[in-house]
Amino acid sequence: MSEIKRIGVMTGGGDCPGLNAVIRAVVKTAILKYGLEVVGIKHGYRGLYLGEDEFVPLTLHDVSGIISKGGTMLYSSNKDNLFDYSYIDEHGQEQRGDVSDVGVNNLKKAGIDALIVIGGDGTLTSGRDFARKGVKVIGVPKTIDNDLASTDTTFGFDTAVATATESIDKLRTTAESHSRTIVVEVMGRYAGFIAIASAIAGGADAALIPEIPYDINKVADAIKENRARGKNFAIVVVAEGAKPIGGDVVISKVIDNSPDPIRLGGVGEVIAGQLEHLAGLECRATILGHTQRGGSPTSNDRILSTRYGSYAVKLLMEGKFGNMVVLDGTKLGYDSLENVIGKNKAVEESGYWIKTARAIDMCLGD
Amino acid sequence: MSEIKRIGVMTGGGDCPGLNAVIRAVVKTAILKYGLEVVGIKHGYRGLYLGEDEFVPLTLHDVSGIISKGGTMLYSSNKDNLFDYSYIDEHGQEQRGDVSDVGVNNLKKAGIDALIVIGGDGTLTSGRDFARKGVKVIGVPKTIDNDLASTDTTFGFDTAVATATESIDKLRTTAESHSRTIVVEVMGRYAGFIAIASAIAGGADAALIPEIPYDINKVADAIKENRARGKNFAIVVVAEGAKPIGGDVVISKVIDNSPDPIRLGGVGEVIAGQLEHLAGLECRATILGHTQRGGSPTSNDRILSTRYGSYAVKLLMEGKFGNMVVLDGTKLGYDSLENVIGKNKAVEESGYWIKTARAIDMCLGD
Amino acid sequence: MSEIKRIGVMTGGGDCPGLNAVIRAVVKTAILKYGLEVVGIKHGYRGLYLGEDEFVPLTLHDVSGIISKGGTMLYSSNKDNLFDYSYIDEHGQEQRGDVSDVGVNNLKKAGIDALIVIGGDGTLTSGRDFARKGVKVIGVPKTIDNDLASTDTTFGFDTAVATATESIDKLRTTAESHSRTIVVEVMGRYAGFIAIASAIAGGADAALIPEIPYDINKVADAIKENRARGKNFAIVVVAEGAKPIGGDVVISKVIDNSPDPIRLGGVGEVIAGQLEHLAGLECRATILGHTQRGGSPTSNDRILSTRYGSYAVKLLMEGKFGNMVVLDGTKLGYDSLENVIGKNKAVEESGYWIKTARAIDMCLGD
Amino acid sequence: MSEIKRIGVMTGGGDCPGLNAVIRAVVKTAILKYGLEVVGIKHGYRGLYLGEDEFVPLTLHDVSGIISKGGTMLYSSNKDNLFDYSYIDEHGQEQRGDVSDVGVNNLKKAGIDALIVIGGDGTLTSGRDFARKGVKVIGVPKTIDNDLASTDTTFGFDTAVATATESIDKLRTTAESHSRTIVVEVMGRYAGFIAIASAIAGGADAALIPEIPYDINKVADAIKENRARGKNFAIVVVAEGAKPIGGDVVISKVIDNSPDPIRLGGVGEVIAGQLEHLAGLECRATILGHTQRGGSPTSNDRILSTRYGSYAVKLLMEGKFGNMVVLDGTKLGYDSLENVIGKNKAVEESGYWIKTARAIDMCLGD
């Protein structure tokens, strides 16, 4: 049905546990099941632009043992969009413009018939745009935040939640022994999946997520209520994108001896400062940061990544170009890249995350 | 809608990570959401038979912090079936018979209006039988083997797979450094879910499961093929219930200085012995054993357990007696205990486990 | 030799993995080896001041299973010094003064013949002061920072280093995949043991510690040199107390909507901002924070804690009052509290930490 | 002082966490501190015999990131002794004899001036024998069992104990929930260090080690005593080399469908069978096996490995040939290979392991 003989694979955007497992599954399925050749394109779209030197043949040997490794063996780059790209022209001048034809050409030169693009919304948008130009593209969704529409779960999310939960477990014994409130800031700028999942798994008292503006007094009240019941400590999980009712958290920050101002602290620290005053327990904040993006993927994420990678090759061979692999319950399927781009998924009031949190009376700040 | 004021909760059968998380969710939801009282019944049905001394009120304080703990705070017992029970009568004679009325009476005496039973097929069968006698029962399925019909996933399975995968990761570096085949025997007497899942997650060369009788020569051939491609070691994951084509593994064993013969070794060791001869690599077996049943549940299992526990209380309050909580994709629902008992789930050829394994050319022994 | 029949035990100061293991060893050795009774004093010296309600008998059952738990089952309090204590007098007035006699009296009332005090410099200073008043005291040193003089290693340090190293492992794959410098801020206000140990274990490029003022340009040079050798990422471990040559890190910070200014960010973030400019790689900071103080102690720390706890009881029974347990190489011994108080240990140029770091050419900022 | 320009490094014997960390430290110190070249010799002495194809130059790049990896990047081989070697001669005949000259020649041909040999007693014995032939050898001790004389601790031991302890933690919750005795068989054929250390760290009731022949009735009595005190479960840690008083464990085993009889079960299973009868609790055995030899080394082992590797190079450069690196307390030093070979270290009655175990009343079977 297909005349595909050699496929390319690349990873784009921020780090996410499971990327290597997807690459490995692509390589194993392509070679062992379909007799294809696989070319890895390093550094995402930047590599596609640079061509040749960034193109490496991928063998079974190359992917042996990488299923358990964090990061991506193909490296990644952020915000490289060949349809609006900054580059140095032949006269040494910096230019900005559409260089996507260079990418298309490089694929042709390398004899690559089709492309598997693993990435988040930005990476997949470019994938769609290359599909529009006739490149045979299959997308694989990637986000630790789990906020991509059209798919129930993305790989990397389980690992991020596991890492956050493990940290909460560690902080909990300290909170209890020292009668403290500990505020844990986790990732999630636009969606609160990591926050609410790790709050449930970590047995937290409250989870503050971008989807539900919080009233800091409600959070303090929940802590005080629990104290009245004899629980002399509290764990509050906060998504980095959590916002108070009626407005943003305002943080002014200046570092005198730094050339440029950089981000200092975050919403977690602000909330910790407020709760210490309002809830009457000593309060500390911990910001988990990039540890959530790294590390060996959980077995669960390795399996999902393997399924995604294998299925992407299958879709290619079935000629389902321009689609993205999606998970619906336990079943894999696909949806058009045209359809899924730009649609974010949020934690919904009617969904099971919030239902579960409310069923065990977890404070959500409202 | 309901006149339920006080509910009982118990755990039965083998150990399974997440039991405490279910108990906690039952207690939190019952108390905080519905204003109920909760009574824990210790040691499963044995405690139901013994009554009073085995009944303990469960408060929020009692369940604080147990979400992360393995085991069950209510203890468990195996094979205690009050409908066919061995007991000592008032004359000191050992008797065997139906003592379920004693259990029903003990519930009445303790003012327990309904019962949440957390257990596997055996425990749930008794749950159904008590439901037939008019006890208001809700079942929560429990098996690390994931082989209960009617539900997509059971809590404990993810943790068992994680533990097995972590062990495979450790064994892999040894296999590679010493050019060995390592056979890892995991749990699964009747179903191969743990084996095939951990084989995929651990990047194993072969997975032998009860559902597919294996030809040892095929396994050896797969290892030799991989060697021909330059991979000088192998990992073979074997479910304890795996069987060769045409018959059982025959193991005779005698321990001279033990009063009774006990089980020595298992199918993993037999296979290791055979593969050393057939595949030409030094071969070692490791039997993971009960470590798979213990330990802190994964975040994933804690969330599923919490959902199961909360939902069980909700079902009780909605009068859905005689049912078991089930998971369908990402959604909770319920199914009649009458319907689910005695039906085991197996790894199916058309299901995603085997499809995934075959897509990456993993040897399944056939 | 001794008329000690009942002993007290307490924990003071910040959290530290292994506290429960020490308490357990004290209880087991006291009861099983010497036939003593043990009383736990909750909340450190505050509990000693409050008396009775804070005194709990400790049995073997109470300490069963706590060896693997973080935190302290006796709770702790910070900065409670009964020799200079804020309290409310009988007229409801806040007072400050020496209330140590109250503590001594409470011990007498409870029939406690001797006291084991587990804590850091502050807690042990009070221990010495009570010893001067005639209380039979044995000290057990506690600090994750490993900066107490007279003892080679303190429990909790190994766990803190393990936690930091595990985080570095996770951050490393991200750094590598995204060609970044990642700055990891670990604990250590006055001593750089955690920083240099986790930098060595994590394979970091640089470790900046309080003992060696750093030249940020030297750090940037080291990163650039490694890049020249083909390593396109870097890990820089920074102790929270690290200081640049010639002065302090100056951070001005204002949070507009917080009642009081609180600490935002730290030296790690400042260094990240500087390195991004100087070393030419995208740079991120992660501050590990209190996760380093919590969690299940490593096997190593559990063993050391058990040894400390048992030995403390032995010292008591041998009448070696006023001393602290110390570790010299692999051997336990003791040193006078009078002698060890106020003496901090630093990472020394001639010690093995710095020698090891220099032998593998790790940048120390000088 | 030295004319060493190029050094070789090899690993021999069984797997041990930390081998890669030693290799990395050798390479970093040799290149960065002394300007040497390093050649890796693959597959231990077998590689030394085969020459050229097994010799690989090692660069900084090659060892980047391996500090956290189990296994050995240089591979290993067991029982290859060039002084008594089986080989195929030029006539295709199998011969056995002293081929050590071939090894010496291969070193010369490759321009290798000195050799760092990382291994256990067998590997180091050959190292000594090569030293006697004039090869400039430095030994680095390797054994997870910690039973090499002359050095306080060997790398790999801490990781093995950590793995065993983690397994005991998992088994403990099952033992407690199901009122069982669980017997855990750990490595240690001749020495009980892993067993006693993991028993202390895991809070076990008994540790049975090769150094102290056990009376099974004493073990049963200890379990029964603990039950009388209210502890309704038990953990018994058994070294694989543990022996009953008065003789060996006798296990007869036949596998009917295996070409050769292989080892089935072990002392742990025998003891479990006996304890079930004698101590009145259901009893299960788990044999941890090779998981103890693999996996990412603990931070502690990585540091020790790094110190060992760096120091080995330093000794070479100082001309201290024929010696082995040793650890004395916290200090590195060296001892003559002539001196250390064939001397095993055992767990001693007067040492701190047994003292600690006895202080907390752990049963040692005597």
Side-chain angles (χ1 to χ4, degrees):
Chain A
M1 178 201 297
S2 152
E3 304 200 29
I4 293 172
K5 300 239 170 86
R6 180 181 291 161
I7 65 172
V9 58
M10 62 155 67
T11 53
D15 202 14
C16 181
L19 286 168
N20 280 324
V22 178
I23 296 167
R24 172 181 174 272
V26 165
V27 170
K28 293 199 82 167
T29 300
I31 293 178
L32 295 169
K33 177 110 180 204
Y34 296 106
L36 306 176
E37 288 174 53
V38 186
V39 175
I41 297 166
K42 297 202 283 186
H43 298 105
Y45 291 111
R46 196 204 316 156
L48 186 59
Y49 174 74
L50 296 172
E52 216 168 346
D53 290 353
E54 299 280 301
F55 288 31
V56 287
L58 292 179
T59 66
L60 294 171
H61 182 76
D62 294 320
V63 299
S64 178
I66 68 166
I67 194 170
S68 64
K69 306 285 183 296
T72 158
M73 65 176 291
L74 292 176
Y75 306 101
S76 183
S77 66
N78 274 335
K79 297 176 194 161
D80 283 322
N81 176 3
L82 300 195
F83 296 85
D84 180 22
Y85 197 64
S86 289
Y87 61 100
I88 308 298
D89 71 11
E90 62 269 41
H91 312 296
Q93 301 294 308
E94 202 179 319
Q95 301 285 352
R96 184 170 199 99
D98 181 343
V99 296
S100 57
D101 283 344
V102 179
V104 175
N105 251 333
N106 284 334
L107 290 175
K108 267 186 208 147
K109 275 196 278 179
I112 295 173
D113 306 310
L115 192 61
I116 292 175
V117 169
I118 312 165
D121 200 62
T123 303
L124 295 173
T125 301
S126 284
R128 179 202 60 187
D129 294 343
F130 275 107
R132 286 180 179 172
K133 293 186 79 131
V135 179
K136 294 169 176 168
V137 170
I138 296 290
V140 175
K142 174 220 63 111
T143 158
I144 62 162
D145 290 340
N146 202 32
D147 61 351
L148 278 173
S150 304
T151 189
D152 276 345
T153 319
T154 43
F155 67 88
F157 173 62
D158 190 58
T159 305
V161 173
T163 298
T165 302
E166 208 182 308
S167 294
I168 295 170
D169 283 355
K170 290 187 183 178
L171 295 167
R172 184 186 179 90
T173 52
T174 296
E176 189 168 1
S177 300
H178 288 74
S179 307
R180 278 184 191 155
T181 297
I182 293 192
V183 175
V184 188
E185 186 185 312
V186 300
M187 287 198 163
R189 207 173 298 264
Y190 308 110
F193 290 101
I194 294 178
I196 199 163
S198 63
I200 293 173
D205 301 80
L208 307 183
I209 59 177
E211 292 87 345
I212 304 179
Y214 63 84
D215 178 343
I216 194 71
N217 295 298
K218 294 272 178 69
V219 185
D221 287 350
I223 295 171
K224 285 189 279 187
E225 236 173 78
N226 286 340
R227 285 185 75 186
R229 287 182 199 130
K231 188 183 179 190
N232 217 13
F233 68 98
I235 302 283
V236 177
V237 179
V238 182
E240 59 181 328
K243 290 190 179 61
I245 286 177
D248 260 16
V249 174
V250 183
I251 311 179
S252 309
K253 62 245 144 177
V254 190
I255 306 179
D256 294 350
N257 59 353
S258 169
D260 281 326
I262 56 162
R263 183 174 186 267
L264 274 193
V267 61
E269 285 172 336
V270 173
I271 287 173
Q274 296 172 326
L275 286 181
E276 176 141 340
H277 285 272
L278 296 171
L281 285 174
E282 203 183 7
C283 193
R284 292 281 191 287
T286 291
I287 300 172
L288 298 187
H290 278 72
T291 52
Q292 296 162 86
R293 290 199 170 279
S296 182
T298 60
S299 48
N300 203 18
D301 269 340
R302 296 186 198 181
I303 293 164
L304 184 57
S305 299
T306 300
R307 294 182 68 195
Y308 272 174
S310 283
Y311 199 77
V313 179
K314 178 171 150 44
L315 288 180
L316 266 193
M317 297 310 286
E318 293 174 351
K320 304 279 182 8
F321 311 125
N323 286 298
M324 182 182 90
V325 186
V326 302
L327 185 73
D328 177 15
T330 62
K331 293 199 179 61
L332 289 175
Y334 55 93
D335 197 355
S336 163
L337 282 168
E338 293 289 347
N339 200 35
V340 302
I341 297 305
K343 289 184 195 154
N344 286 327
K345 195 171 59 178
V347 180
E348 287 176 7
E349 189 62 39
S350 60
Y352 69 81
W353 291 110
I354 289 186
K355 271 189 193 166
T356 305
R358 295 209 190 280
I360 55 171
D361 202 42
M362 180 181 291
C363 171
L364 298 175
D366 62 349
Chain B
M1 176 200 297
S2 150
E3 304 201 32
I4 293 171
K5 300 236 168 86
R6 179 181 294 161
I7 65 173
V9 59
M10 62 155 70
T11 52
D15 203 14
C16 181
L19 286 168
N20 280 324
V22 178
I23 296 168
R24 172 181 175 272
V26 165
V27 170
K28 293 200 82 165
T29 300
I31 294 177
L32 295 168
K33 179 110 179 202
Y34 296 107
L36 306 176
E37 288 175 55
V38 186
V39 174
I41 297 167
K42 297 202 283 189
H43 299 104
Y45 291 111
R46 195 205 315 159
L48 185 59
Y49 174 74
L50 295 172
E52 216 169 345
D53 289 354
E54 299 280 301
F55 287 30
V56 286
L58 292 179
T59 66
L60 294 171
H61 183 76
D62 293 320
V63 299
S64 179
I66 68 165
I67 194 170
S68 63
K69 305 286 184 295
T72 159
M73 65 176 292
L74 292 177
Y75 308 100
S76 183
S77 66
N78 273 335
K79 299 177 192 160
D80 284 322
N81 176 3
L82 300 196
F83 295 86
D84 179 21
Y85 196 67
S86 289
Y87 61 98
I88 308 296
D89 70 13
E90 62 268 41
H91 312 298
Q93 301 295 309
E94 202 179 317
Q95 301 285 352
R96 185 169 198 100
D98 181 343
V99 297
S100 57
D101 283 345
V102 178
V104 175
N105 250 334
N106 283 335
L107 290 174
K108 267 187 207 147
K109 276 196 277 179
I112 296 173
D113 305 311
L115 191 61
I116 292 175
V117 169
I118 312 165
D121 200 62
T123 304
L124 295 173
T125 301
S126 285
R128 179 202 59 185
D129 294 342
F130 276 107
R132 286 179 179 173
K133 292 185 81 135
V135 178
K136 295 169 175 168
V137 170
I138 296 291
V140 176
K142 173 220 65 112
T143 158
I144 61 162
D145 291 339
N146 202 32
D147 61 351
L148 278 173
S150 306
T151 188
D152 276 346
T153 320
T154 43
F155 66 88
F157 173 63
D158 190 58
T159 304
V161 174
T163 297
T165 302
E166 207 181 307
S167 294
I168 295 172
D169 284 355
K170 290 187 183 178
L171 295 167
R172 185 187 178 88
T173 52
T174 296
E176 191 168 359
S177 300
H178 288 72
S179 307
R180 278 187 192 152
T181 298
I182 293 193
V183 175
V184 188
E185 186 186 311
V186 300
M187 286 197 166
R189 207 174 296 264
Y190 308 111
F193 290 102
I194 294 177
I196 199 163
S198 62
I200 293 173
D205 302 80
L208 307 183
I209 59 176
E211 292 86 345
I212 305 179
Y214 64 85
D215 177 343
I216 194 71
N217 295 296
K218 295 273 177 69
V219 185
D221 287 348
I223 294 171
K224 285 190 277 187
E225 239 173 77
N226 287 340
R227 286 185 73 186
R229 287 180 199 131
K231 188 183 179 188
N232 216 12
F233 68 99
I235 302 283
V236 176
V237 179
V238 181
E240 57 180 331
K243 289 188 181 62
I245 287 178
D248 260 18
V249 174
V250 182
I251 311 180
S252 308
K253 62 247 145 178
V254 190
I255 305 178
D256 294 350
N257 59 355
S258 169
D260 282 326
I262 56 163
R263 185 177 185 264
L264 276 192
V267 61
E269 285 172 336
V270 173
I271 288 174
Q274 296 173 327
L275 287 180
E276 176 141 339
H277 286 271
L278 296 172
L281 285 173
E282 202 184 6
C283 194
R284 292 281 193 286
T286 292
I287 300 173
L288 298 187
H290 279 73
T291 51
Q292 296 163 83
R293 291 198 171 280
S296 182
T298 60
S299 48
N300 204 17
D301 268 341
R302 297 185 197 181
I303 293 164
L304 184 58
S305 299
T306 300
R307 294 181 68 195
Y308 272 174
S310 283
Y311 199 76
V313 179
K314 178 171 149 44
L315 287 180
L316 267 192
M317 298 311 285
E318 292 174 352
K320 303 279 183 6
F321 311 125
N323 286 299
M324 182 183 90
V325 185
V326 302
L327 185 74
D328 177 14
T330 64
K331 292 199 180 61
L332 288 175
Y334 57 92
D335 196 355
S336 163
L337 282 168
E338 293 288 347
N339 201 34
V340 301
I341 296 306
K343 288 184 196 153
N344 287 325
K345 195 171 59 178
V347 180
E348 286 177 6
E349 188 62 40
S350 61
Y352 69 82
W353 291 110
I354 288 185
K355 272 189 194 167
T356 305
R358 295 208 189 280
I360 54 173
D361 202 42
M362 180 180 290
C363 170
L364 297 176
D366 63 348
Chain C
M1 178 202 297
S2 151
E3 305 200 29
I4 293 172
K5 300 236 170 87
R6 180 181 292 163
I7 65 173
V9 58
M10 63 155 67
T11 53
D15 202 14
C16 182
L19 285 168
N20 280 323
V22 178
I23 295 168
R24 173 180 174 273
V26 165
V27 170
K28 292 199 83 165
T29 300
I31 293 177
L32 295 170
K33 178 111 181 205
Y34 296 107
L36 306 176
E37 288 174 54
V38 186
V39 175
I41 296 167
K42 297 202 283 187
H43 298 106
Y45 292 111
R46 195 205 315 157
L48 185 59
Y49 174 73
L50 295 173
E52 215 168 347
D53 290 353
E54 299 280 303
F55 287 31
V56 286
L58 292 179
T59 66
L60 294 172
H61 183 76
D62 294 321
V63 299
S64 179
I66 68 166
I67 193 171
S68 64
K69 307 283 183 297
T72 159
M73 65 176 291
L74 292 177
Y75 307 100
S76 182
S77 66
N78 274 334
K79 298 175 193 162
D80 283 322
N81 176 3
L82 301 195
F83 295 87
D84 180 22
Y85 198 66
S86 289
Y87 60 100
I88 308 297
D89 70 12
E90 63 268 41
H91 311 298
Q93 300 295 308
E94 204 179 317
Q95 301 285 353
R96 183 168 201 99
D98 182 343
V99 296
S100 58
D101 282 346
V102 178
V104 174
N105 251 333
N106 284 335
L107 290 175
K108 263 185 210 149
K109 275 197 278 180
I112 295 173
D113 306 310
L115 192 61
I116 292 176
V117 169
I118 312 165
D121 200 62
T123 303
L124 295 173
T125 301
S126 285
R128 178 202 60 187
D129 294 342
F130 276 107
R132 286 180 179 171
K133 291 185 81 130
V135 179
K136 293 169 176 167
V137 170
I138 296 291
V140 175
K142 174 218 63 108
T143 159
I144 61 162
D145 290 341
N146 203 30
D147 62 351
L148 279 172
S150 305
T151 187
D152 276 345
T153 320
T154 43
F155 66 89
F157 172 63
D158 189 58
T159 305
V161 173
T163 297
T165 302
E166 206 181 309
S167 294
I168 294 171
D169 284 354
K170 290 187 184 179
L171 295 167
R172 184 186 179 90
T173 53
T174 295
E176 190 168 0
S177 300
H178 288 73
S179 307
R180 279 187 190 150
T181 298
I182 293 192
V183 176
V184 188
E185 186 186 312
V186 301
M187 287 198 164
R189 208 173 297 265
Y190 308 110
F193 290 101
I194 293 177
I196 199 162
S198 62
I200 293 173
D205 302 80
L208 307 183
I209 59 176
E211 291 87 346
I212 304 179
Y214 64 84
D215 178 344
I216 193 70
N217 295 298
K218 295 271 178 70
V219 185
D221 288 350
I223 294 170
K224 286 190 278 187
E225 237 173 79
N226 286 341
R227 284 185 75 186
R229 287 181 200 132
K231 188 184 179 189
N232 216 11
F233 69 99
I235 301 283
V236 176
V237 179
V238 182
E240 59 181 328
K243 289 190 181 60
I245 287 177
D248 261 15
V249 174
V250 182
I251 311 178
S252 309
K253 64 244 145 179
V254 189
I255 305 179
D256 294 350
N257 58 355
S258 169
D260 281 326
I262 56 164
R263 186 175 185 266
L264 275 193
V267 62
E269 284 172 336
V270 173
I271 287 173
Q274 295 172 327
L275 286 181
E276 176 141 340
H277 286 270
L278 295 171
L281 285 174
E282 203 184 7
C283 194
R284 293 280 191 287
T286 291
I287 301 172
L288 298 187
H290 277 72
T291 52
Q292 296 162 85
R293 290 198 171 281
S296 182
T298 60
S299 48
N300 203 17
D301 268 340
R302 296 185 198 180
I303 293 164
L304 184 56
S305 299
T306 300
R307 295 181 67 195
Y308 272 175
S310 283
Y311 199 77
V313 178
K314 179 171 151 38
L315 287 180
L316 267 192
M317 297 312 285
E318 292 174 351
K320 303 281 184 2
F321 311 126
N323 285 300
M324 181 181 90
V325 185
V326 302
L327 184 74
D328 178 15
T330 62
K331 292 201 179 62
L332 289 175
Y334 56 92
D335 197 356
S336 163
L337 282 168
E338 293 289 348
N339 201 34
V340 301
I341 296 305
K343 288 185 196 153
N344 286 327
K345 193 172 59 178
V347 181
E348 285 176 8
E349 189 62 40
S350 61
Y352 69 82
W353 292 111
I354 289 185
K355 271 190 195 166
T356 305
R358 295 208 190 281
I360 54 172
D361 202 40
M362 180 180 290
C363 170
L364 297 175
D366 62 347
Chain D
M1 178 202 297
S2 151
E3 303 201 31
I4 292 171
K5 300 236 168 85
R6 180 182 293 161
I7 65 173
V9 58
M10 63 154 69
T11 51
D15 203 14
C16 181
L19 286 168
N20 279 324
V22 178
I23 296 168
R24 174 181 174 271
V26 165
V27 170
K28 294 200 81 164
T29 300
I31 293 177
L32 296 169
K33 178 110 181 203
Y34 296 108
L36 306 176
E37 288 174 55
V38 185
V39 174
I41 297 166
K42 297 203 282 189
H43 298 104
Y45 291 111
R46 195 205 316 158
L48 185 59
Y49 174 73
L50 295 171
E52 215 167 344
D53 290 353
E54 299 280 303
F55 287 31
V56 287
L58 292 178
T59 66
L60 294 172
H61 183 76
D62 294 321
V63 298
S64 179
I66 68 166
I67 194 171
S68 63
K69 305 286 183 296
T72 159
M73 66 175 295
L74 292 176
Y75 308 100
S76 182
S77 66
N78 273 334
K79 299 177 191 159
D80 284 322
N81 176 4
L82 301 194
F83 295 86
D84 179 21
Y85 196 65
S86 288
Y87 61 99
I88 308 296
D89 70 13
E90 62 269 39
H91 311 298
Q93 301 294 309
E94 203 179 316
Q95 301 283 354
R96 184 170 201 100
D98 182 344
V99 296
S100 57
D101 283 344
V102 178
V104 174
N105 250 333
N106 284 335
L107 290 174
K108 265 186 208 149
K109 276 195 276 180
I112 296 173
D113 305 311
L115 191 61
I116 292 176
V117 169
I118 313 165
D121 200 61
T123 303
L124 295 173
T125 301
S126 284
R128 178 203 59 187
D129 294 341
F130 276 107
R132 286 180 179 172
K133 292 185 80 131
V135 179
K136 295 169 175 169
V137 170
I138 296 291
V140 175
K142 173 219 66 110
T143 159
I144 61 163
D145 290 341
N146 203 32
D147 61 351
L148 279 172
S150 306
T151 188
D152 276 345
T153 319
T154 42
F155 67 88
F157 172 64
D158 190 58
T159 304
V161 173
T163 297
T165 301
E166 207 181 307
S167 293
I168 295 171
D169 284 355
K170 290 186 184 180
L171 295 167
R172 185 188 179 89
T173 52
T174 295
E176 190 167 0
S177 300
H178 288 71
S179 307
R180 279 186 191 152
T181 298
I182 293 192
V183 175
V184 188
E185 185 186 312
V186 301
M187 286 198 164
R189 209 174 296 263
Y190 308 111
F193 290 102
I194 294 178
I196 200 163
S198 62
I200 293 173
D205 302 80
L208 307 183
I209 59 177
E211 291 87 346
I212 304 180
Y214 64 84
D215 178 344
I216 194 70
N217 295 297
K218 294 272 177 68
V219 184
D221 287 348
I223 294 171
K224 286 189 277 187
E225 237 174 78
N226 286 340
R227 284 184 75 186
R229 284 179 201 134
K231 187 183 179 189
N232 215 13
F233 68 99
I235 302 282
V236 176
V237 180
V238 181
E240 57 181 330
K243 289 189 181 60
I245 287 179
D248 260 16
V249 174
V250 182
I251 311 180
S252 308
K253 64 244 143 176
V254 189
I255 306 178
D256 295 348
N257 59 355
S258 169
D260 282 327
I262 57 164
R263 186 176 185 265
L264 276 191
V267 62
E269 285 172 335
V270 173
I271 288 173
Q274 297 172 326
L275 286 180
E276 177 142 338
H277 285 271
L278 295 171
L281 285 173
E282 203 184 5
C283 193
R284 292 281 192 285
T286 292
I287 300 172
L288 298 187
H290 278 72
T291 52
Q292 297 162 83
R293 290 198 171 279
S296 182
T298 60
S299 48
N300 203 17
D301 269 340
R302 297 185 197 181
I303 293 164
L304 184 56
S305 298
T306 301
R307 295 180 67 195
Y308 272 174
S310 283
Y311 199 76
V313 179
K314 179 170 148 47
L315 287 181
L316 268 192
M317 297 310 286
E318 291 174 353
K320 302 280 184 4
F321 311 126
N323 286 300
M324 182 183 89
V325 185
V326 302
L327 184 73
D328 178 15
T330 63
K331 292 200 181 60
L332 289 175
Y334 56 93
D335 196 355
S336 163
L337 282 169
E338 293 288 348
N339 201 34
V340 301
I341 297 305
K343 288 185 196 154
N344 287 326
K345 194 171 60 179
V347 181
E348 286 177 6
E349 189 62 40
S350 60
Y352 69 81
W353 292 110
I354 288 185
K355 271 190 193 165
T356 305
R358 295 207 190 281
I360 55 173
D361 200 41
M362 181 181 290
C363 170
L364 297 175
D366 63 348

